[in-house]
Amino acid sequence: QAVVTQEPSLTVSPGGTVTLTCGSSTGAVTSGHYSYWFQQKPGQAPRALIYDTGNKSPWTPARFSASLLGGKAALTLSGAQPEDEAEYYCLLSYSATRVFGGGTKLTVL
Amino acid sequence: EVQVVESGGGLVQPGGSLRLSCAGSGFTFSDHYMDWVRQAPGKGLEWVGRIRNKADSYTIEYAASVKGRFTISRDDSKNSLYLQINSLKTEDTAVYYCVRDIYWGQGTLVTVSS
């Protein structure tokens, strides 16, 4: 089974910019992986921020954007806010399965 | 408003069985693929499986870790999704989420313990 890799933790300053990445053990991540990005805060259900590589959910703040970058899926947060401190997960689709990354704990400090 | 609401979780002994349900509302349930995702306490998200819609022959896919013990089904006439879990193990302890694309329920907790 494919392994999906994320940075375990990242720190960003308030107002700063940070990019989270999502790689696949099978090779480059492409639009065919229909990548999703989720945000989860403690005690809450995950919330989808991005679907199908770069499309935003209706509730996704404008400061979040996503793309493919250097063979990985990437989530960029521009102008970080304290409320963006959370765990972020990516999800990739393969031919007969879907696999989550291990998550990135984002600290806004 | 799109909603998915899980039910059926609880405390079960190892080796037991459980059926989780998910009720969808606010959308045409039969049009959509539906997924189950779980999260063990303090751990990350794990995709459990997916059932496609009628147009795609209700094809089902499972994560390798649950294949053979978990069965996903749906009843479009009741706008409902199901997850049958057999031969429960302590490592199946988790919150189980029903997911439609970007819409998640609040989850139902399954605890496997003697």
Side-chain angles (χ1 to χ4, degrees):
Chain A
Q1 171 164 298
V3 175
V4 176
T5 305
Q6 298 182 246
E7 299 86 0
S9 63
L10 291 170
T11 299
V12 61
S13 300
T17 296
V18 64
T19 296
L20 289 66
T21 67
C22 176
S24 173
S25 63
T26 63
V29 177
T30 70
S31 59
H33 287 95
Y34 303 101
S35 52
Y36 278 61
W37 288 94
F38 302 92
Q39 178 193 65
Q40 187 178 33
K41 297 181 179 179
Q44 297 183 15
R47 183 175 75 146
L49 296 176
I50 301 289
Y51 64 98
D52 292 352
T53 304
N55 297 295
K56 295 182 183 181
S57 299
W59 46 79
T60 302
R63 59 185 179 272
F64 289 94
S65 62
S67 64
L68 298 176
L69 189 67
K72 296 182 179 183
L75 176 71
T76 298
L77 171 58
S78 302
Q81 300 297 309
E83 60 265 30
D84 298 327
E85 185 161 297
E87 193 83 23
Y88 291 82
Y89 296 93
C90 67
L91 173 66
L92 300 182
S93 293
Y94 298 84
S95 59
T97 191
R98 308 178 87 191
V99 182
F100 281 97
T104 295
K105 179 168 177 54
L106 181 66
T107 300
V108 180
L109 189 60
Chain B
E1 180 192 4
V2 173
Q3 281 194 312
V4 289
V5 179
E6 305 89 343
S7 61
L11 175 62
V12 187
Q13 290 190 338
S17 297
L18 202 60
R19 188 173 91 150
L20 307 182
S21 300
C22 168
S25 61
F27 63 100
T28 303
F29 188 85
S30 58
D31 284 349
H32 292 273
Y33 296 6
M34 299 295 296
D35 289 60
W36 286 101
V37 174
R38 69 179 178 179
Q39 186 171 36
K43 302 296 185 182
L45 301 174
E46 180 184 16
W47 180 79
V48 170
R50 158 175 278 192
I51 184 167
R52 292 187 169 87
N53 54 17
K54 182 178 181 180
D56 288 319
S57 305
Y58 296 123
T59 306
I60 303 172
E61 295 162 344
Y62 297 98
S65 59
V66 305
K67 213 167 186 178
R69 293 191 302 119
F70 287 31
T71 302
I72 296 174
S73 61
R74 63 190 294 164
D75 185 339
D76 289 345
S77 68
K78 295 181 179 179
N79 293 339
S80 292
L81 173 72
Y82 305 101
L83 179 64
Q84 177 72 38
I85 311 175
N86 297 327
S87 303
L88 276 155
K89 305 176 182 181
T90 55
E91 52 263 41
D92 294 321
T93 294
V95 175
Y96 286 74
Y97 294 100
C98 168
V99 181
R100 193 224 95 177
D101 306 323
I102 58 174
Y103 299 97
W104 290 57
Q106 286 304 302
T108 188
L109 176 62
V110 173
T111 302
V112 184
S113 174
S114 54

